[in-house]
Amino acid sequence: LRVLCASAAEVICLFFLLSPVVAPLTAEAQTGAITGRVIGEDGGGLPNITVYLSPVASSQTSASNYQPDMVATDEEGNFRFTGLETRLYFVNVTLSKGYIYRPVPTSERSARGPYRIGDHITFTLVRGGVITGRVTASNGEPMIGVQVSAMRVKDSEGAPVRDIISGRPRTTDDRGVYRFYGLAPGAYVVFTRGGMSGRPISAYEGYAPTYHPSSPRETATEITITIGGEAKGVDIRYRGERGYTVSGAVLSAAPATPNAGTSVAIYNASTGFNAGTVSIRPGDSQNGFAIVGLTDGEYEIIARRAGAEPDEYFSSQPRRIAIRGADVGGIELKLEPLASVSGKVVVEPSPKICDSEHKPLLDEISVSARRDTPPALILLSPYQYGASMNDRGDFTIYNLNPSRYFIIARPQNERWYAKSIALPAVAGRRGSVRSVTGINVGRNGVTLKSGDRAPGLIVTIADGAASLRGRLAPENEGSRPPARMIIHILPAETASADDILRYAQMVAGTDGAFEFKNLAPGKYWLIAHAAPDDAPIDRPATPAAWDANERAKLRREAVAAKNEIALQPCGRVNDYVLRVNR
């Protein structure tokens, strides 16, 4: 998806939350229209729901300047966009009136869009949950105008999540009452800080947060929310305990550009929760900061500076600190320039191999860089960064923190696959900027340091991709495989043993179904593993094939399992059965 993930707010851009239904191409393709319907849980249409459409941006600039088209659904929940050019589009629903998208099991989530003219899309919305309660002082008097936050800590399947606070904080009324609505199902902790650094001045600024019912985070009571459910009486008795302060200065060898903003954020090291963020005022020659209202514990702190241009972003290395019954001062955070990767997507010239009713478009190819290991705190920095790409296929991935990255090229069109990803050797250093070149990125990834530039990456896309759809079945009658299984597909040819682009993995659905698309033609092995108990389900697992030792281990297991299949160019296998032992 053509979104620059490493924004100033460092929001993780994972668009795997919905599975809208897309009807087959119809005669609407001739009229330049995309149509659809928004329905409720009972299948009835929802009126007056805002739907917006925007083209897949061919560049970061066009993405930021484009104003989406918006329409409201009619009395039957129908919507229609007309007069569209032949290109790809994103279509989304504005969540309002307490509605949320219908939750989908993690293993069955898929990216929404992009869509073509002629598509008919159905979005299903359900009522979100509600949490309401009252905040009082230690003497029982209502606390008026204090902010309350609800943080989801487990999803509807009971797995831990790393969401930032769900939605905006609510402010108590003159009775001390707050109310959240439109909450996704899962388990929440509810708390008030009274006042927060960087927020409007409050009489309670500098106090430690109090969690429901009257607890620190460690003993907070979790509130379970179901679809359309309401949890009442989630009251908070404010503890009124003063917190501690972390202070210091942000250092940088590079002068701040006009309109550049510097912020410092601190995260709880065990939960990843943002415990405070402050901004440094422009013109502050000391670049000093102070984050107040913190409790004892381990934290990671980081500074960021956002510039006017994509290559003007800076970040410090995360620093681990501990608060033990006292303020912590003298913290120095050094800003360093972030790295980037740039190159070109090339579609290999070839005769039309696969019959398709769609003309392939460069918009259908997303390019991103992903860390080989996620950061210690998933909220501290994204682990996957999207590229901005123009109509000629030139792209740049900005704001990469020091790490090793693999480049992911993902065609939306089933007839294409990523054939190679390479960084040719060019001149080494330009001024003070180190250029990284001469690497088979598809096989080895690319290791970047602060300020590195890796130009000239060539992503080659070829026609003739195959796909494989199947299901798991027990080896022995009466047995059942584990609930969560990871399916691996890997090349059987010895010559392709280290071709990372020929490897793929996915979590099977609750019914054991799995599907692989955009595979290069050739021979493959398949094996299945039980997912580790601590495997995160709110982000894709790091591919095992990225590690040479794990890759060799997969191949040994695959040889022993003998589950081999040959996929022909444009081949579509729909009924493969992979038998597994418990």
Side-chain angles (χ1 to χ4, degrees):
L1 297 180
R2 214 62 43 72
V3 177
L4 185 62
C5 293
S7 65
E10 298 286 351
V11 177
I12 301 174
C13 299
L14 290 182
F15 296 94
F16 300 103
L17 303 180
L18 321 177
S19 292
V21 178
V22 183
L25 191 71
T26 68
E28 291 287 353
Q30 306 302 319
T31 67
I34 291 178
T35 61
R37 192 171 185 232
V38 181
I39 61 175
E41 193 171 10
D42 60 358
L46 298 178
N48 298 319
I49 299 294
T50 301
V51 184
Y52 58 94
L53 170 145
S54 59
V56 173
S58 59
S59 70
Q60 183 187 358
T61 301
S62 62
S64 61
N65 294 337
Y66 184 81
Q67 295 298 318
D69 290 335
M70 293 185 291
V71 297
T73 57
D74 63 19
E75 291 299 318
E76 299 299 323
N78 298 304
F79 65 87
R80 179 185 181 91
F81 294 96
T82 59
L84 303 177
E85 299 177 1
T86 302
R87 60 181 306 170
L88 300 179
Y89 296 87
F90 295 125
V91 180
N92 293 286
V93 175
T94 299
L95 298 180
S96 60
K97 306 176 184 179
Y99 284 107
I100 60 173
Y101 291 107
R102 179 182 60 187
V104 178
T106 305
S107 59
E108 299 172 15
R109 293 176 188 171
S110 59
R112 63 178 183 272
Y115 305 106
R116 296 172 173 269
I117 59 174
D119 284 341
H120 183 87
I121 312 158
T122 299
F123 292 101
T124 302
L125 305 184
V126 298
R127 286 287 185 185
V130 173
I131 297 177
T132 183
R134 190 165 179 257
V135 181
T136 58
S138 57
N139 61 3
E141 291 296 315
M143 293 183 64
I144 302 170
V146 296
Q147 290 188 328
V148 182
S149 301
M151 180 173 67
R152 193 168 73 143
V153 294
K154 295 178 183 176
D155 66 8
S156 58
E157 300 172 56
V161 297
R162 281 159 286 268
D163 290 354
I164 300 177
I165 296 171
S166 299
R168 62 178 177 81
R170 301 298 195 265
T171 302
T172 57
D173 63 16
D174 60 342
R175 301 165 297 165
V177 174
Y178 71 90
R179 186 174 187 269
F180 290 92
Y181 63 93
L183 298 175
Y188 290 77
V189 291
V190 181
F191 64 96
T192 179
R193 292 183 181 178
M196 293 175 59
S197 299
R199 299 286 173 84
I201 295 174
S202 166
Y204 303 99
E205 184 171 356
Y207 283 78
T210 300
Y211 289 77
H212 166 75
S214 183
S215 310
R217 174 65 184 92
E218 292 75 17
T219 58
T221 299
E222 295 183 359
I223 309 300
T224 299
I225 293 298
T226 58
I227 296 174
E230 182 170 357
K232 299 180 180 179
V234 184
D235 300 334
I236 300 174
R237 177 66 66 92
Y238 196 60
R239 293 164 61 90
E241 296 179 346
R242 294 291 300 186
Y244 301 108
T245 299
V246 171
S247 60
V250 176
L251 309 178
S252 176
T257 57
N259 302 319
T262 301
S263 64
V264 180
I266 190 166
Y267 299 83
N268 185 292
S270 61
T271 65
F273 170 59
N274 182 313
T277 301
V278 296
S279 297
I280 296 177
R281 297 176 181 176
D284 183 350
S285 59
Q286 301 300 317
N287 287 324
F289 68 87
I291 302 176
V292 301
L294 302 170
T295 58
D296 283 345
E298 298 281 335
Y299 295 87
E300 287 193 11
I301 187 168
I302 188 171
R304 305 180 182 95
R305 177 186 293 168
E309 298 296 329
D311 59 353
E312 294 177 351
Y313 281 69
F314 292 76
S315 176
S316 69
Q317 288 294 312
R319 179 168 175 177
R320 178 67 66 99
I321 63 171
I323 299 177
R324 296 286 186 267
D327 297 339
V328 178
I331 302 297
E332 292 186 344
L333 302 173
K334 183 180 179 182
L335 291 175
E336 298 178 335
L338 297 174
S340 67
V341 173
S342 59
K344 189 178 186 64
V345 173
V346 177
V347 178
E348 188 174 68
S350 64
K352 185 177 180 181
I353 299 175
C354 305
D355 292 330
S356 175
E357 56 190 357
H358 296 308
K359 177 184 178 181
L361 303 170
L362 276 179
D363 284 346
E364 295 179 282
I365 303 169
S366 64
V367 180
S368 59
R370 181 173 170 186
R371 293 171 180 260
D372 64 342
T373 56
L377 298 180
I378 194 65
L379 294 182
L380 192 63
S381 180
Y383 67 96
Q384 185 160 322
Y385 302 72
S388 59
M389 186 165 70
N390 65 23
D391 296 327
R392 299 181 301 277
D394 302 311
F395 67 86
T396 302
I397 307 175
Y398 295 102
N399 304 333
L400 301 176
N401 288 278
S403 188
R404 180 184 181 221
Y405 292 87
F406 281 88
I407 304 300
I408 300 172
R410 183 166 293 154
Q412 295 289 339
N413 194 307
E414 287 192 32
R415 60 184 278 188
W416 280 352
Y417 64 94
K419 185 176 181 179
S420 65
I421 301 176
L423 198 58
V426 295
R429 182 181 290 269
R430 178 180 298 175
S432 61
V433 177
R434 187 177 79 107
S435 293
V436 180
T437 63
I439 299 173
N440 184 336
V441 178
R443 173 178 174 176
N444 303 312
V446 56
T447 299
L448 300 174
K449 299 178 181 179
S450 294
D452 279 354
R453 299 290 182 263
L457 192 72
I458 301 297
V459 177
T460 302
I461 303 295
D463 198 358
S467 65
L468 172 64
R469 181 184 294 121
R471 63 179 178 84
L472 296 175
E475 187 72 43
N476 303 311
E477 291 295 332
S479 64
R480 295 182 60 186
R484 294 184 64 220
M485 296 289 292
I486 299 176
I487 316 302
H488 296 270
I489 188 167
L490 54 156
E493 302 94 341
T494 302
S496 299
D498 290 320
D499 185 353
I500 303 299
L501 301 180
R502 294 281 306 278
Y503 290 73
Q505 67 184 62
M506 68 166 294
V507 178
T510 54
D511 59 352
F514 61 87
E515 182 177 19
F516 293 99
K517 296 181 179 180
N518 306 109
L519 298 173
K523 292 183 179 181
Y524 288 88
W525 289 318
L526 285 96
I527 54 175
H529 288 156
D533 293 337
D534 60 350
I537 68 171
D538 57 339
R539 68 175 187 263
T542 300
W546 287 1
D547 180 272
N549 292 329
E550 290 297 316
R551 193 162 62 242
K553 182 179 177 181
L554 286 176
R555 297 190 67 80
R556 289 194 297 270
E557 293 182 18
V559 170
K562 300 179 181 179
N563 298 313
E564 184 175 312
I565 186 171
L567 299 178
Q568 302 301 320
C570 309
R572 302 289 182 264
V573 177
N574 296 313
D575 54 1
Y576 186 85
V577 177
L578 178 60
R579 300 198 174 275
V580 296
N581 292 316
R582 182 174 176 79

